Structures are given as C-alpha cells and as structure tokens.
Amino acid sequence: MAPGFGTRLAASVAERGPLCVGIDPHRELLVGWGVGDDLDGLRRFTDAVVEALAGSVAVLKPQMAFYERFGARGVAVLEDAVAGIRAAGALVLLDAKRGDIGSTMAAYADYLGSDHPMQVDALTVSPFLGPESLAPAVRAAKSSGGGLFVLARTSNPDAGTFQHARVGEVSVAQAVVDTVGRWNAEDAPSGPGSFGVVVGATLQELDVDLDGLGGPILAPGLGAQGGSVADLRRLFGSERAVVPTVSRDVLAAGPDAAALRAAADRWTAELSA
C-alpha cells in the first residue's frame, strides 16, 4: 500500500520546507496580473503559478470557488493544473471546505480516489453537521491514502460565535480537535497522522489543546492577513507538524515566474530558519 498522506506530507516538508501556497485567482488578482478576469486569464494565471512553484513548494492549495465561478471550463483548468502540480512533485490540497452527509459527503470525498479525474492529496472539510457526517470522507481517505483538514479554530473575526460554544465540558473547536485526534490514533497510532485541523495563524491566543492531535495543522493567515512566523512559533511552538499557508504575499509577485519563485523561497527560508 502506498504511504498515507501524513507520511507523504512529512517527506515533502523535509525535502522542500513547510510552505503551502494558496492558489486563489480572484478577480482583483487576475486584473492586477494583467491577464484579464476571464477564462483565458484564469488559465494563464494558473499555468504560471504551477510552472513557477510546483517543482519547489511542498503543498499547493487551489481554492475551488475561484475556478467554479467560471463554470465547467474553469474546473477543467483546475483539473489540468492538479495533474501538473502532482507530476512536478508538490502535494495538492483542494480547498473546498465540503460538508454534508451520507452519499453526498462520500461523493465529495471521491476527489481523494485514484480513479477520480482530478485526484488530490487532501481536502478541506467542514465538521459542523456533526462528526459522523465526515465518516464517508474519513473512510475514503483511509482507503486512498489521502488526507483531510477539518475546520476547527479559524481566524475570521466572528469564528468564536460557533467555535467557542460548549459541547459538554469543551468548546466546539476542541471537540473537533479531539475527534480528529481519535481518527489519527486509530489509523496511525505511531504517526504521522493523515488527518489534520485548520487553526488560524492570526489568533491572539491558542485556545484549543492540540497535544493529542497526532496529525498536521494547516495554519492560514500569514502575510497579507497579518500573521507572521513569530505568530506561528508563539501559537504552535516548533515541535508540531504545522503547514503555514501564504497566498497573496506570494501571488502578488506574479506574473513573472522568477519573482513568484523568489517570493515563495523567501517565505520558505524564513519558515525554515
């Protein structure tokens, strides 16, 4: 059986550094690059990012919504990009934040399967329909060697409205972390686990206990959103498997490929120091 996502992620980080770059072709960025906010501009943008970064960055994280807004042809651009990214050695984390139940959740999780035309290495998912709603995705990840990143303690300003609510003796966010920790304990008791959580790098304080997680932490918010490498160290220390995410601070360097690589390299160097 092929190594699980947790093992492949650890190997990629060891070889390339911990940086995850978000691929977020929003309207303003496409216009700023001068490629145009249309299907051709989307393709030119995506091809440039893949060419510049897929051979050197550990993880690339395309945001599904920015491709879906162009309809089926936009998703086709992403499908081509995913194949190119994986061929160049980077892992693909599809940022789709899917959440549903039963057969619908299982269909979303098909992205992890080897028979899917756009197979990815990991998928972001939402747990707020209850832990059991994610069971089909957990099964799919285990059978395919893929991974999941579950929203737990996000850094948007009003996230605490729900995530600080109590479930018995713990917060909703902590209940999510504890659930994911159990998946890892069952699947990879000696680690590294393939199931991670999303915890924002811009939190004022870490108000969830991650010690029993056993899997990676996706930490968005570096750069333009205000998070820094110092914040990562303050929140997570240096021993946890943290995957810091940068988007705008790297993509703003485009469309020049060398400038994109240089921007990513600067972040990788700072994160690895």
Side-chain angles (χ1 to χ4, degrees), residues 84-183:
I85 293 167
R86 300 188 81 211
L91 300 178
V92 178
L93 167 57
L94 182 61
D95 194 0
K97 299 182 179 69
R98 300 307 196 197
D100 216 303
I101 60 173
S103 58
T104 307
M105 189 70 243
Y108 285 141
D110 280 348
Y111 280 111
L112 301 173
S114 60
D115 57 347
H116 196 282
M118 195 170 77
Q119 182 190 11
V120 299
D121 297 282
L123 178 70
T124 58
V125 293
S126 173
F128 297 115
L129 274 71
E132 187 59 27
S133 70
L134 295 179
V138 173
R139 289 193 293 270
K142 289 180 178 180
S143 65
S144 67
L148 300 175
F149 283 93
V150 186
L151 299 176
R153 184 65 185 96
T154 59
S155 55
N156 49 304
D158 64 343
T161 304
F162 293 151
Q163 294 167 12
H164 284 158
R166 307 298 289 182
V167 180
E169 298 298 317
V170 301
S171 67
V172 168
Q174 187 65 57
V176 172
V177 172
D178 293 346
T179 298
V180 177
R182 287 193 293 272
W183 298 343

Side-chain angles (χ1 to χ4, degrees), residues 14-267:
E15 177 184 353
R16 298 179 173 214
L19 181 64
C20 169
V21 176
I23 306 179
D24 300 342
H26 54 78
R27 181 175 292 102
E28 293 78 8
L29 186 57
L30 294 178
V31 172
W33 271 38
V35 296
D37 181 35
D38 54 24
L39 187 66
D40 180 65
L42 179 73
R43 185 175 295 279
R44 290 168 61 191
F45 166 89
T46 304
D47 288 349
V49 173
V50 173
E51 178 186 355
L53 302 181
S56 58
V57 170
V59 183
L60 289 174
K61 182 175 69 66
Q63 168 50 253
M64 188 70 168
F66 291 122
Y67 290 87
E68 289 177 334
R69 73 187 183 94
F70 290 95
R73 292 176 297 172
V75 175
V77 170
L78 179 57
E79 185 175 320
D80 291 342
V82 166
I85 293 167
R86 300 188 81 211
L91 300 178
V92 178
L93 167 57
L94 182 61
D95 194 0
K97 299 182 179 69
R98 300 307 196 197
D100 216 303
I101 60 173
S103 58
T104 307
M105 189 70 243
Y108 285 141
D110 280 348
Y111 280 111
L112 301 173
S114 60
D115 57 347
H116 196 282
M118 195 170 77
Q119 182 190 11
V120 299
D121 297 282
L123 178 70
T124 58
V125 293
S126 173
F128 297 115
L129 274 71
E132 187 59 27
S133 70
L134 295 179
V138 173
R139 289 193 293 270
K142 289 180 178 180
S143 65
S144 67
L148 300 175
F149 283 93
V150 186
L151 299 176
R153 184 65 185 96
T154 59
S155 55
N156 49 304
D158 64 343
T161 304
F162 293 151
Q163 294 167 12
H164 284 158
R166 307 298 289 182
V167 180
E169 298 298 317
V170 301
S171 67
V172 168
Q174 187 65 57
V176 172
V177 172
D178 293 346
T179 298
V180 177
R182 287 193 293 272
W183 298 343
N184 285 319
E186 295 166 0
D187 187 55
S190 58
S194 295
F195 302 106
V197 293
V198 180
V199 179
T202 57
L203 296 176
Q204 293 301 306
E205 60 180 357
L206 185 64
D207 48 24
V208 289
D209 181 359
L210 299 170
D211 287 347
L213 177 62
I217 301 157
L218 184 70
L222 293 190
Q225 295 180 11
S228 67
V229 175
D231 289 320
L232 290 177
R233 304 286 187 262
R234 173 180 58 83
L235 291 168
F236 307 116
S238 58
E239 300 302 317
R240 293 189 174 98
V242 178
V243 183
T245 299
V246 179
S247 179
R248 279 175 282 181
D249 266 33
V250 172
L251 300 180
D256 181 71
L260 282 167
R261 279 193 294 271
D265 287 348
R266 285 194 297 273
W267 275 105

